[in-house]
Amino acid sequence: MTYLTYSAATGKNCIVTIRNTPGTAVYIYAGFQLANQGDTAVDDHGTYTSYAGPVYISGKGTCIDWSGAIGPAPEQYVIRYATNCG
């Protein structure tokens, strides 16, 4: 499951992808970027047993493109565009 939060106090978004149950290491991804503002992507990905992230990006006054994945199967990916407009 990928979780995205926003702090109005700091203007920062936070993303983390967490497995339901830790186990053998698998590919896990958590990342985002400012919508329509290429070259702003930040992410954490690798072979982990529990989670990827947390990762932070300042997003006050803009929207966020975000995604997360657990494992290599396409059905495990979530991608959302232009959400969490701060």
Side-chain angles (χ1 to χ4, degrees), residues 8-9 11 17 19 21 26 30 32 38 40-41 49 51 56 59 64 67-68 83-84:
T17 299
R19 291 175 73 174
T21 54
V26 296
F32 45 24
T40 61
T49 58
Y51 62 91
Y56 302 91
I64 301 296
S67 58
T83 68
N84 277 50

Side-chain angles (χ1 to χ4, degrees), residues 26-79:
V26 296
Y27 178 78
I28 305 178
Y29 175 87
F32 45 24
Q33 68 179 16
L34 302 178
N36 301 314
Q37 297 183 37
D39 295 337
T40 61
V42 290
D43 62 31
D44 180 30
H45 59 92
T47 305
Y48 301 121
T49 58
S50 300
Y51 62 91
V55 182
Y56 302 91
I57 191 171
S58 294
K60 195 167 209 149
T62 189
C63 300
I64 301 296
D65 298 336
W66 60 275
S67 58
I70 299 174
E75 64 271 10
Q76 300 287 347
Y77 284 74
V78 61
I79 301 171

